[in-house]
Amino acid sequence: MKIAFKELKYYKFKYLMIGVILFLLAFLVMFVSSLAQGLGKDNISMIESLSGEEIVIEKDANDEIQQSKLSDDVIQQAKDKDFKALSMTPLRFDNNDSVQLIYTDAVDYKLTSGSKPKSGNEIVVDSTMSENYDVGDVVKVKDSDTEYKITGFAKRQMYAHTPIAFTTKDGFEEIKPADVNIMVGSENLSNLDEAKTITKKELMNGIPSYQAEQLPLNLMVVFLFVISAIVISAFFYVITIQKTKEYGILKAIGTKSSRMISMIMTEVLTIVIVSTLIAIGLTYLLGELLPITMPFFVNNKLVLLLFGSFILVSLLGALLSIIKVVKIDPLSAIGGE
């Protein structure tokens, strides 16, 4: 290990260049992953906040909330099992800003500021709208005399890239009757008339834009990992070839292969860990600095997974160097007969 750090110090420019490239790869992986998470949150954050895991929805609704309208019989069956109703309708303000107006007790949302609506002319909107609105602002519904007062902002409540606006039953009925789109609970109900029970995951996949966005972005992350493994392998293999004579001398004076392998692993891990940690730090910093309207979300669990995956990819990428070192013949390496 001591030799490894001495070598890193001696060839600092060479290893610094490798570290910069690994940092850029790690940062790109983190950025794309956070972007994918942010876009996902813009699609499904309201669904994630639902108080139950089972959703009763109309059979012919293609698992889309807005296409579903439950019958009174289904609603009563679900209510008997402690399911909660959710009513949703699109809404456009006079300035053409769009929201999904919701009346429900089935969403556990948190406020970033203000208070929850208490009367029919009050709404709480998603926090992404806080850049253009303030608590206390009055918004007018387009092509209508209905007005709402914004009483607060909810933390991450979006559906299909549209901000959610929560209101009371009276507030919802200012626009249209409070028809129930879905019921939310904790049991898988069967024998429902013209309705079915699905999971949160199925409800998320029912949003057309969700999988269309997530699949290419996640594939991009996978390809970046593959590229990282290739880059790491190439760099350290070339460095190993350049140092064939040094490794041959070390073997000739009795240095065990295991010690040289340990030296290579120390060099690889040091460069990769430092580069990746800097990339993670920059990603978190960007998450704080970017505007709230930017679909960017840093998932702590995903960051840990990516960090561990990067270490694993790096170790696998270093295998070529290790194999080369193990096979080095001391005599031929130092130019002997």
Side-chain angles (χ1 to χ4, degrees):
M1 187 176 291
K2 188 176 179 181
I3 297 175
F5 287 120
K6 281 186 175 181
E7 188 170 8
L8 287 172
K9 186 177 179 181
Y10 186 79
Y11 294 108
K12 51 183 174 291
F13 183 76
K14 181 192 295 184
Y15 287 114
L16 179 62
M17 290 298 98
I18 296 173
V20 168
I21 293 170
L22 293 180
F23 156 74
L24 292 173
L25 283 170
F27 176 68
L28 188 56
V29 170
M30 298 291 175
F31 184 85
V32 173
S33 300
S34 297
L35 184 62
Q37 289 283 302
L39 288 169
K41 290 288 183 183
D42 278 4
N43 267 311
I44 64 170
S45 53
M46 186 276 290
I47 296 175
E48 288 180 323
S49 300
L50 292 175
S51 57
E53 294 297 324
E54 302 293 335
I55 317 295
V56 174
I57 192 169
E58 191 178 358
K59 285 182 179 178
D60 298 329
N62 295 321
D63 296 345
E64 289 189 60
I65 296 176
Q66 290 174 319
Q67 293 187 26
S68 173
K69 181 182 176 182
L70 298 177
S71 65
D72 292 338
D73 289 341
V74 171
I75 294 169
Q76 190 56 53
Q77 283 180 265
K79 281 185 176 179
D80 291 341
K81 298 295 184 180
D82 296 323
F83 275 64
K84 297 176 181 178
L86 185 146
S87 302
M88 173 190 285
T89 188
L91 197 68
R92 188 181 293 273
F93 299 148
D94 253 0
N95 61 358
N96 287 323
D97 283 344
S98 297
V99 298
Q100 294 286 355
L101 187 67
I102 283 183
Y103 160 62
T104 187
D105 292 324
V107 177
D108 298 324
Y109 65 91
K110 296 179 180 179
L111 293 172
T112 58
S113 62
S115 58
K116 293 187 177 183
K118 296 177 182 177
S119 63
N121 68 333
E122 295 180 343
I123 56 173
V124 163
V125 295
D126 178 67
S127 56
T128 55
M129 303 187 75
S130 62
E131 286 200 343
N132 300 318
Y133 300 91
D134 295 312
V135 173
D137 284 356
V138 175
V139 292
K140 189 176 184 298
V141 178
K142 191 166 187 175
D143 301 325
S144 171
D145 293 330
T146 304
E147 292 183 340
Y148 291 105
K149 178 182 178 182
I150 297 175
T151 62
F153 294 98
K155 183 179 180 181
R156 284 201 173 273
Q157 291 298 318
M158 302 275 285
Y159 178 80
H161 291 293
T162 306
I164 298 295
F166 295 97
T167 188
T168 61
K169 184 177 182 180
D170 290 340
F172 192 92
E173 291 180 338
E174 288 285 332
I175 304 301
K176 60 176 289 189
D179 296 325
V180 176
N181 297 98
I182 60 172
M183 300 288 288
V184 182
S186 56
E187 293 186 43
N188 191 326
L189 304 184
S190 57
N191 301 321
L192 294 172
D193 184 26
E194 298 182 355
K196 62 181 179 179
T197 305
I198 63 174
T199 63
K200 273 188 183 182
K201 187 65 177 176
E202 290 172 312
L203 191 63
M204 293 173 188
N205 290 333
I207 302 172
S209 60
Y210 180 58
Q211 286 189 324
E213 290 173 351
Q214 293 297 300
L215 183 60
L217 287 170
N218 289 330
L219 279 175
M220 194 181 299
V221 172
V222 172
F223 283 129
L224 285 171
F225 270 119
V226 173
I227 292 169
S228 300
I230 294 170
V231 169
I232 293 168
S233 301
F235 274 135
F236 284 97
Y237 186 68
V238 169
I239 290 173
T240 301
I241 292 174
Q242 290 176 342
K243 297 189 297 184
T244 299
K245 188 172 182 179
E246 286 88 336
Y247 285 127
I249 292 171
L250 287 173
K251 272 198 169 185
I253 62 175
T255 305
K256 294 181 179 179
S257 294
S258 58
R259 189 175 178 186
M260 288 189 286
I261 291 170
S262 175
M263 183 176 72
I264 292 172
M265 300 298 274
T266 301
E267 291 174 356
V268 172
L269 286 175
T270 300
I271 295 171
V272 171
I273 289 174
V274 172
S275 302
T276 308
L277 287 177
I278 294 173
I280 291 172
L282 183 58
T283 304
Y284 274 106
L285 181 61
L286 269 180
E288 294 295 324
L289 297 178
L290 288 173
I292 196 168
T293 51
M294 176 75 175
F296 192 84
F297 178 74
V298 185
N299 186 319
N300 294 331
K301 291 182 180 178
L302 182 61
V303 167
L304 288 174
L305 177 62
L306 292 176
F307 180 69
S309 300
F310 229 92
I311 300 300
L312 180 61
V313 165
S314 303
L315 293 177
L316 291 174
L319 281 178
L320 282 176
S321 300
I322 292 171
I323 294 170
K324 178 68 176 176
V325 167
V326 170
K327 290 184 176 180
I328 286 176
D329 176 52
L331 192 59
S332 60
I334 60 178
E337 296 296 333

